[in-house]
Amino acid sequence: MSDTPAPSNSMVVHLLDPAFQRPVKSWRFEEKPSVSIGRGDDCDVELNDPYVSRLHVELAASGGAWRLISRGRNGVTIQGKQVEEAPLAHGTTFRLGAGGPTLRFDLDTAQAPVSSDSPQTLCFDTAEIGIFLLDSKKIDSEVEQIANGDYFQTLQQKARELRQKRKST
């Protein structure tokens, strides 16, 4: 008899941002043997996207392992290859349809608390975002230089002449 516990059926599905491949929404499922993903309002993960079928994919736990089963007509790709059924490992990324959303399967490793009741709507690391500070005195000075410059004054004079010409005709 083995002392090793059976793998948990708890897992997380992340909807990934197409540009940065970072989670923008996540769903956690505790001890659920099957998770449906699709456009239908009866799906566990509901995605409103034209590439997504009403029932597009099913994630099923069996024998301590997870499997992805394609159910939609637009198919599912993993690493650029279309699959009908495939084993899922922690971190597996898959795409619904040729141009549909990308999702990532993660075994529940008790990272950040995520639930379908309070999903993350945006997730990013603020340390990677540069902070832009504007120098209002410098901006005012540069605007004043432009406004008082010969080129801008010439444009203003031409605009006045055109308005006068339009009024007189």
Side-chain angles (χ1 to χ4, degrees):
M1 191 161 239
S2 172
D3 291 337
T4 307
S8 170
N9 282 353
S10 301
M11 57 86 143
V12 182
V13 175
H14 302 282
L15 174 64
L16 301 180
D17 173 86
F20 299 106
Q21 298 297 301
R22 293 185 183 151
V24 293
K25 188 168 183 179
S26 300
W27 297 264
R28 174 175 278 149
F29 299 97
E30 303 284 336
E31 301 302 321
K32 190 166 170 71
S34 175
V35 173
S36 59
I37 301 172
R39 223 181 44 240
D41 57 2
D42 57 338
C43 288
D44 298 310
V45 175
E46 186 179 344
L47 299 170
N48 188 9
D49 186 284
Y51 287 99
V52 177
S53 301
R54 288 186 57 69
L55 174 58
H56 200 109
V57 71
E58 181 182 357
L59 308 180
S62 176
W66 283 91
R67 294 197 67 71
L68 176 143
I69 304 159
S70 177
R71 302 282 191 211
R73 68 178 193 164
N74 291 324
V76 178
T77 59
I78 296 177
Q79 296 180 344
K81 295 179 183 173
Q82 187 134 358
V83 298
E84 292 297 317
E85 191 170 330
L88 289 171
H90 181 73
T92 299
T93 301
F94 56 96
R95 186 173 194 164
L96 307 181
T102 301
L103 297 116
R104 186 178 71 224
F105 168 87
D106 283 335
L107 295 172
D108 187 2
T109 56
Q111 296 172 359
V114 177
S115 74
S116 59
D117 296 330
S118 60
Q120 296 175 348
T121 56
L122 186 60
C123 178
F124 59 91
D125 184 2
T126 57
E128 295 179 17
I129 298 174
I131 297 175
F132 297 98
L133 297 176
L134 300 177
D135 183 346
S136 60
K137 289 181 182 178
K138 185 174 180 179
I139 291 171
D140 290 342
S141 171
E142 289 177 359
V143 167
E144 187 176 330
Q145 285 178 349
I146 292 169
N148 293 329
D150 290 338
Y151 181 72
F152 187 76
Q153 291 302 318
T154 303
L155 288 176
Q156 291 284 50
Q157 181 59 36
K158 294 256 187 214
R160 283 191 285 273
E161 290 170 7
L162 287 172
R163 282 193 292 275
Q164 284 295 340
K165 189 175 181 180
R166 220 181 289 149
K167 283 183 183 178
S168 64
T169 56

